[in-house]
Amino acid sequence: MTPLYAQVKSHILDQIRSGTLTAGKRVPSENELVTQFNISRMTANRALKELTADGFLARVPGVGTFVREATPRTSLIELRNIADEIAARGHRYSSRIEDLREINATPNLIKDFEFKSASPLFHIAIVHEENGMPVQFEDRYVNPFSAPNFLKQNFAEQTPTAYLLALLPADELEHNVEAIMPDANQQRRLKITNVEPCLSLHRRTWSGGHVVTSATLIYPASRYALYSRYNTGAKPQ
Amino acid sequence: MTPLYAQVKSHILDQIRSGTLTAGKRVPSENELVTQFNISRMTANRALKELTADGFLARVPGVGTFVREATPRTSLIELRNIADEIAARGHRYSSRIEDLREINATPNLIKDFEFKSASPLFHIAIVHEENGMPVQFEDRYVNPFSAPNFLKQNFAEQTPTAYLLALLPADELEHNVEAIMPDANQQRRLKITNVEPCLSLHRRTWSGGHVVTSATLIYPASRYALYSRYNTGAKPQ
DNA sequence: TGTATAAGGTTGTATATACAGTATAGTGCG
DNA sequence: CGCACTATACTGTATATACAACCTTATACA
């Protein structure tokens, strides 16, 4: 049984995703949600407060709660599923798998995965699309000891990130960001016509002390920015 | 008057910072906080819930609330002084101030600083050099209400970051990373001869609920990469 | 016309209370 | 000794209520 506040959150998120509620629109007030869902105001308050903390809504005391501008940003801190992000913007997600097989680790990959000797690895190359437009090229290697059934998954249904996160909780992350000029191969995959700089995000993910996966994600700069925000826990004033 | 739940949050954060509460240690239960602060359990619950959402605590139903492993935050996460970084590499740091004055906030800057109306702002443009070679171009705006004496500082002695950090602790950060092609102005300042992509890091810093400073830092890609690694604190087994 | 006031709606905070779910420690029984 | 049960502590969720702060709009008044 999902909690009431979560049901209200889903309901509002669905409306944002479906386009019923667009950026700037006013969402129902707490009291309106009370009568609409037959819940208490504190429950409605929790739903709206959490959606605000998640960055979907903005609240103005004395005025109302509004849908925030959808910023095509991806979080550096959290691991987010790109399919969900695109859906949250009310857009259509699709993907094109360009490679999916077992390979032998190169010396660099052995180092990446902290292996002591040569080992097989799973590899996937996949292009993520938003409304048919490529927005991310994912080049990922996976530890076969951590996810032995990786190759058998249907990645048209579920992204590699979603599958791996459901299988193994990520307890440590490493990110490395660079600005690059895409090579001919990457340009073709991302359907870049005029040459533009891209963000290259290299991410390693640990679970239980082992490197589970190592991925290079390439974003065309004009279509994506990486975003992170957090509380440092420093003394408030 | 700061709200009660915020006071409780500060109290617990203080104990974590001071070392009274270390990683893995148990924090007072909701009921213990009730008697300790003479508040209701819902208020204690809010404080602990928000500290959990901020990543400082982990809660286990039926057991208790615990301090999470300190996240090893680097470069992208931590605020570092570039002069210190360069000195740590045994190289010579120098800087060239290109602008330092009061300006009027543009609409975009008003939004950045969460102002309600037009306001003056301080601006500094400074090129940081390592062994005489430009390695970062810093374009920074500063809230005059937070740092009224900013313009009077000697930034040949102390970087703007160092001055602001000493004056006001950063309790919240926002980063936005993009890959850009530098314009002619930026190329000249960074002494880039052949055109190469750059990392653009936009950072906003909060202190006491106010945006203290908003800075755009530009790194020539071939000379810098941004790195972060941290523990997500997923399920403490 | 301009200004002060009042009313009503909205969010923000705080309390008291209740019940459910989960983990642990202890107790008693076979 | 081992196992089932129970009591207890803790978090998670939900409700009803209250008051404060804030904003907008309508109204009354000078």
Side-chain angles (χ1 to χ4, degrees):
Chain A
M1 191 54 186
T2 59
L4 288 176
Y5 77 90
Q7 291 179 35
V8 177
K9 283 179 70 174
S10 297
H11 179 258
I12 294 172
L13 272 180
D14 282 346
Q15 289 196 307
I16 294 175
R17 274 191 280 267
S18 70
T20 311
L21 282 173
T22 53
K25 276 260 190 73
R26 186 178 168 283
V27 297
S29 74
E30 297 181 357
N31 280 319
E32 286 167 346
L33 290 174
V34 164
T35 59
Q36 188 177 338
F37 286 91
N38 199 31
I39 55 177
S40 77
R41 186 167 85 87
M42 289 311 294
T43 302
N45 177 274
R46 175 166 184 180
L48 294 181
K49 188 163 63 183
E50 290 193 4
L51 284 174
T52 304
D54 292 344
F56 293 103
L57 305 178
R59 315 197 75 185
V60 183
V63 182
T65 305
F66 304 90
V67 179
R68 256 186 48 173
E69 204 65 42
T71 48
R73 290 165 163 176
T74 195
S75 172
L76 260 183
I77 302 288
E78 247 176 291
L79 275 182
R80 287 229 193 126
N81 185 356
I82 190 169
D84 290 344
E85 278 187 24
I86 289 172
R89 289 196 284 273
H91 293 172
R92 181 174 51 82
Y93 169 78
S94 56
S95 65
R96 213 173 58 243
I97 295 168
E98 306 226 328
D99 187 42
L100 180 59
R101 63 195 164 96
E102 183 176 317
I103 56 132
N104 283 315
T106 63
N108 271 340
L109 285 170
I110 291 174
K111 210 171 157 190
D112 248 27
F113 278 83
E114 300 173 345
F115 286 152
K116 300 198 173 174
S117 59
S119 158
L121 281 175
F122 298 149
H123 175 254
I124 185 171
I126 182 170
V127 177
H128 301 280
E129 298 165 331
E130 180 167 358
N131 290 338
M133 188 71 167
V135 289
Q136 186 193 103
F137 173 61
E138 173 177 351
D139 191 26
R140 181 182 296 275
Y141 296 90
V142 174
N143 187 333
F145 302 106
S146 302
N149 299 316
F150 184 79
L151 293 182
K152 298 176 201 154
Q153 302 308 308
N154 177 7
F155 290 115
E157 289 288 321
Q158 191 183 31
T159 65
T161 301
Y163 170 70
L164 291 171
L165 272 183
L167 186 67
L168 296 157
D171 49 40
E172 197 168 356
L173 301 177
E174 178 194 80
H175 285 135
N176 213 320
V177 184
E178 284 178 284
I180 60 160
M181 286 306 288
D183 58 35
N185 213 5
Q186 293 163 340
Q187 282 179 38
R188 179 179 54 75
R189 279 165 160 154
L190 287 167
K191 287 184 185 161
I192 297 173
T193 47
N194 36 349
V195 181
E196 58 181 4
C198 289
L199 271 183
S200 164
L201 172 65
H202 187 84
R203 173 191 287 157
R204 287 197 293 169
T205 310
W206 280 257
S207 187
H210 300 287
V211 177
V212 170
T213 181
S214 165
T216 303
L217 310 174
I218 295 180
Y219 302 85
S222 59
R223 296 176 218 150
Y224 253 89
L226 298 169
Y227 173 82
S228 70
R229 180 169 172 172
Y230 40 86
N231 199 306
T232 64
K235 191 90 178 166
Q237 91 328 90
Chain B
M1 195 52 191
T2 59
L4 288 178
Y5 77 90
Q7 292 178 33
V8 177
K9 283 179 71 174
S10 296
H11 178 258
I12 294 172
L13 273 178
D14 281 345
Q15 289 195 306
I16 294 175
R17 274 191 288 269
S18 70
T20 311
L21 281 174
T22 53
K25 275 263 190 71
R26 186 178 169 280
V27 298
S29 75
E30 297 182 355
N31 280 319
E32 287 168 345
L33 290 173
V34 164
T35 59
Q36 187 175 339
F37 286 91
N38 199 31
I39 57 178
S40 77
R41 186 167 85 87
M42 290 308 294
T43 303
N45 177 275
R46 174 166 186 180
L48 294 182
K49 188 163 63 184
E50 291 192 2
L51 285 174
T52 304
D54 290 344
F56 295 102
L57 304 178
R59 314 197 76 184
V60 183
V63 182
T65 305
F66 304 89
V67 179
R68 262 183 45 173
E69 206 64 42
T71 55
R73 297 170 158 173
T74 48
S75 25
L76 252 189
I77 306 289
E78 223 179 309
L79 278 180
R80 283 228 200 129
N81 186 357
I82 189 166
D84 292 343
E85 278 187 24
I86 290 172
R89 288 195 283 274
H91 292 171
R92 181 174 51 83
Y93 169 79
S94 57
S95 65
R96 212 171 57 241
I97 296 168
E98 306 227 328
D99 187 42
L100 179 59
R101 62 196 166 98
E102 181 176 319
I103 56 131
N104 283 316
T106 63
N108 273 339
L109 286 171
I110 290 174
K111 212 171 156 190
D112 247 29
F113 278 84
E114 299 172 346
F115 285 152
K116 300 196 173 173
S117 60
S119 159
L121 281 175
F122 298 148
H123 175 254
I124 185 171
I126 183 170
V127 177
H128 301 280
E129 298 164 331
E130 180 167 357
N131 289 339
M133 188 69 165
V135 289
Q136 185 193 102
F137 174 59
E138 174 177 351
D139 190 25
R140 179 182 298 275
Y141 296 91
V142 175
N143 188 333
F145 303 104
S146 302
N149 298 318
F150 184 79
L151 293 181
K152 298 176 201 155
Q153 302 310 309
N154 177 9
F155 291 114
E157 287 290 319
Q158 190 181 32
T159 65
T161 301
Y163 171 69
L164 290 171
L165 272 183
L167 186 65
L168 296 157
D171 51 41
E172 197 168 355
L173 301 177
E174 179 194 77
H175 285 133
N176 213 322
V177 184
E178 283 178 284
I180 60 160
M181 286 305 289
D183 59 33
N185 213 4
Q186 292 163 341
Q187 283 177 38
R188 179 181 53 75
R189 278 165 161 153
L190 288 166
K191 289 183 184 161
I192 297 174
T193 48
N194 37 349
V195 180
E196 58 181 2
C198 289
L199 271 183
S200 163
L201 172 65
H202 186 84
R203 172 192 289 157
R204 287 197 293 169
T205 310
W206 279 258
S207 188
H210 300 287
V211 177
V212 171
T213 180
S214 165
T216 303
L217 311 174
I218 295 179
Y219 302 85
S222 60
R223 297 177 216 152
Y224 254 89
L226 299 167
Y227 173 83
S228 71
R229 179 168 171 173
Y230 42 86
N231 198 305
T232 65
K235 203 76 179 173
Q237 328 83 19

